[in-house]
Amino acid sequence: MKILNTLSLLSLAVIGSKAMKNISSKELVKDLTIGWSLGNTLDATCFETLDYNKNPIASETCWGNVKTTQELYYKLSDLGFNTFRIPTTWSGHFGNAPDYKINDQWLKRVREIVDYALNTGGYAILNIHHETWNHAFQKNLDSAKKILVAIWKQIAAEFADYDEHLIFEGMNEPRKVGDANEWNGGDYEGWSFVNEMNDLFVKTIRATGGNNALRHLMIPTYAACVMDNAVNNFKFPSGDDKVIVSLHSYSPYNFALNNGAGAISNFNDGSEIDWVMNIINSNFISKGIPVIIGEFGAMNRNNEDDRERWAEYYIKKATSLGIPCVIWDNGYFEGEGERFGLINRSTLQVVYPKLVNGLIKGLGNSIKTRTTVRKTTTTTSQSQPTNDNSCFSVNLGYSCCNGCEVVYTDSDGKWGVENGNWCGIKSSCNSASRNCWSERLGYPCCQSTSSVVYTDNDGKWGVEIGNWCGIY
């Protein structure tokens, strides 16, 4: 027993770690149902009105949204969302060449919000968003490459231990800003810029090693658009099965996005959505290339009934092709701008419940019924008397285990490990109801539920009284 201590504990540490699942992105996207974007928040920029040095995290609320909370993500999870895109602008939050060091306070705040999303048991997508340095002109390419590598190396290092529930998105709508070709699908200069930056992004993340060697990555077409010329000139990397195409589609345009002449408030024609889905299918899905529509939406025109029909139609079409969609919510409900607000982030009231209902109906049977998860870092254990005299190991110089997970058996008895030390399993643990794997991780066995709400490398998890528990 004593001889095996070091080797056995080392093996246990490997077995018990939160390892990255080695699955393809094509498999991963099957677990993504409906997504929500934290728009106009971490992506907000107020260079002219804020002193970023004085308050590095003030930009989160400078476009009018409130500070993001954990409860917002729990509410969204309750509604059925399990994928959370976190648009993040890094411009203004990093230093000069050659290091381009990201501000520590900003990186910490980004990580907090990523954790909010992941605490629901869902997925998070983290990107670089409204940047000032990656406009898709050839003259910018060399400097943009240096910044991209520096920024993504730091992000990758910060989240190196996170598992497959965290996805990195290399760029948001990279395009020739201010150019005549900005929104028309691009030209050779723009396509080449985006393809080179995408390739460098993938290589940069892979080179950081650890979990990032298996990290699922999203790369966009030019401007993330679905136009023929952008799609036809997009280069998808070969030999890497953990890459996803990132596309945006506010369709039909006049119903969903147009805020000027030609805008309509009635949804009676899904042909433009059909066209978009056919382009995606013929160029990507039919070739085994996974896609996430990272932005879509239809702005408020006091037409919630029509938006409900639109949402169901859009999601039903996408779901039939295995394409997860992430709705854009910028927190704006009224006014002359883009009114994509969905949930009031202060009160957590769903302002347009019919729209949400349309999204969920569009999923059909794809959405998984689940209990809302409230995962915390608080360590809990089974409440039971701890009496060293109640087990065999005390006479051998080892304490009794508080839990009942058996990791080794010898002629002396059954052994567990707690806090990195061997302990003896009490005789009271012989009851099958006391024997589950989660106790060695600091979580109790489930006592009254067998409903699985989350599965990872450790096992199947349930929730009781707001806390995680292990199902055996």
Side-chain angles (χ1 to χ4, degrees), residues 367-388:
I367 191 163
K368 300 174 177 61
T369 302
R370 67 194 187 284
T371 304
T372 300
V373 170
R374 298 290 186 266
K375 189 169 184 178
T376 69
T377 56
T378 303
T379 299
T380 58
S381 61
Q382 290 285 46
S383 57
Q384 62 180 36
T386 302
N387 179 359
D388 282 350

Side-chain angles (χ1 to χ4, degrees), residues 197-217:
M197 292 285 277
N198 282 338
D199 180 66
L200 183 61
F201 162 67
V202 174
K203 289 178 179 176
T204 298
I205 300 301
R206 294 293 179 245
T208 63
N211 280 356
N212 291 321
L214 301 177
R215 180 80 53 205
H216 297 273
L217 307 176

Side-chain angles (χ1 to χ4, degrees), residues 367-418:
I367 191 163
K368 300 174 177 61
T369 302
R370 67 194 187 284
T371 304
T372 300
V373 170
R374 298 290 186 266
K375 189 169 184 178
T376 69
T377 56
T378 303
T379 299
T380 58
S381 61
Q382 290 285 46
S383 57
Q384 62 180 36
T386 302
N387 179 359
D388 282 350
N389 293 324
S390 66
C391 67
F392 69 93
S393 61
V394 174
N395 293 330
L396 300 174
Y398 297 90
S399 63
C400 300
C401 297
N402 288 318
C404 298
E405 173 70 7
V406 177
V407 298
Y408 182 73
T409 302
D410 63 11
S411 58
D412 293 316
K414 296 178 180 179
W415 297 86
V417 174
E418 292 179 352

Side-chain angles (χ1 to χ4, degrees), residues 42 55 58 149 287 354:
L42 294 185
N55 188 345
V149 169
K287 298 176 181 178
K354 289 184 179 179

Side-chain angles (χ1 to χ4, degrees), residues 87-263:
T88 304
T89 297
W90 302 88
S91 294
H93 297 287
F94 61 82
N96 297 324
D99 297 331
Y100 303 103
K101 185 180 184 304
I102 299 171
N103 178 273
D104 290 337
Q105 287 180 259
W106 182 246
L107 192 55
K108 178 182 178 183
R109 181 57 180 153
V110 172
R111 181 167 179 153
E112 285 176 345
I113 294 178
V114 169
D115 288 343
Y116 292 164
L118 297 178
N119 284 344
T120 67
Y123 293 82
I125 299 170
L126 180 62
N127 77 350
I128 62 175
H129 208 78
H130 295 306
E131 306 301 331
T132 59
W133 48 269
N134 66 346
H135 299 169
F137 298 95
Q138 182 64 34
K139 65 182 180 181
N140 293 336
L141 185 58
D142 288 343
S143 61
K145 282 183 172 181
K146 293 175 183 177
I147 298 174
L148 180 137
V149 169
I151 297 302
W152 272 114
K153 275 186 175 180
Q154 293 173 77
I155 298 171
E158 180 71 15
F159 296 96
D161 294 334
Y162 284 55
D163 69 10
E164 70 279 357
H165 288 82
L166 176 60
I167 300 166
F168 290 158
E169 179 185 19
M171 294 183 290
N172 172 72
E173 298 179 349
R175 62 195 187 277
K176 299 174 69 172
V177 175
D179 187 84
N181 291 313
E182 180 174 3
W183 294 112
N184 71 355
D187 58 12
Y188 181 79
E189 180 183 37
W191 304 326
S192 298
F193 183 101
V194 172
N195 286 330
E196 287 194 47
M197 292 285 277
N198 282 338
D199 180 66
L200 183 61
F201 162 67
V202 174
K203 289 178 179 176
T204 298
I205 300 301
R206 294 293 179 245
T208 63
N211 280 356
N212 291 321
L214 301 177
R215 180 80 53 205
H216 297 273
L217 307 176
M218 293 170 62
I219 58 172
T221 58
Y222 175 91
C225 73
V226 193
M227 294 181 179
D228 285 324
N229 48 353
V231 170
N232 292 337
N233 289 281
F234 170 75
K235 291 183 179 179
F236 188 80
S238 60
D240 191 330
D241 67 353
K242 294 172 180 60
V243 179
I244 304 163
V245 178
S246 174
L247 298 173
H248 296 176
S249 182
Y250 293 83
S251 302
Y253 172 74
N254 285 328
F255 174 81
L257 185 61
N258 187 7
N259 217 5

Side-chain angles (χ1 to χ4, degrees), residues 2-168:
K2 284 68 177 176
I3 296 175
L4 292 174
N5 271 357
T6 302
L7 180 60
S8 298
L9 283 172
L10 179 61
S11 299
L12 181 66
V14 173
I15 294 169
S17 65
K18 300 285 185 180
M20 175 81 83
K21 289 182 180 178
N22 188 5
I23 60 173
S24 69
S25 292
K26 188 176 178 181
E27 287 299 311
L28 181 87
V29 298
K30 293 177 182 178
D31 200 40
L32 278 57
T33 52
I34 190 72
W36 180 88
S37 267
L38 183 71
N40 288 24
T41 308
L42 294 185
D43 56 317
T45 59
C46 295
F47 302 127
E48 296 180 356
T49 58
L50 286 180
D51 184 342
Y52 280 59
N53 292 320
K54 184 177 180 180
N55 188 345
I57 62 175
S59 61
E60 179 181 350
T61 57
C62 77
W63 281 0
N65 280 310
V66 299
K67 188 175 181 179
T68 310
T69 65
Q70 177 68 79
E71 287 305 313
L72 170 64
Y73 282 94
Y74 285 152
K75 177 66 175 181
L76 291 163
S77 180
D78 287 346
L79 294 171
F81 296 92
N82 85 335
T83 305
F84 304 102
R85 187 168 178 253
I86 303 171
T88 304
T89 297
W90 302 88
S91 294
H93 297 287
F94 61 82
N96 297 324
D99 297 331
Y100 303 103
K101 185 180 184 304
I102 299 171
N103 178 273
D104 290 337
Q105 287 180 259
W106 182 246
L107 192 55
K108 178 182 178 183
R109 181 57 180 153
V110 172
R111 181 167 179 153
E112 285 176 345
I113 294 178
V114 169
D115 288 343
Y116 292 164
L118 297 178
N119 284 344
T120 67
Y123 293 82
I125 299 170
L126 180 62
N127 77 350
I128 62 175
H129 208 78
H130 295 306
E131 306 301 331
T132 59
W133 48 269
N134 66 346
H135 299 169
F137 298 95
Q138 182 64 34
K139 65 182 180 181
N140 293 336
L141 185 58
D142 288 343
S143 61
K145 282 183 172 181
K146 293 175 183 177
I147 298 174
L148 180 137
V149 169
I151 297 302
W152 272 114
K153 275 186 175 180
Q154 293 173 77
I155 298 171
E158 180 71 15
F159 296 96
D161 294 334
Y162 284 55
D163 69 10
E164 70 279 357
H165 288 82
L166 176 60
I167 300 166
F168 290 158

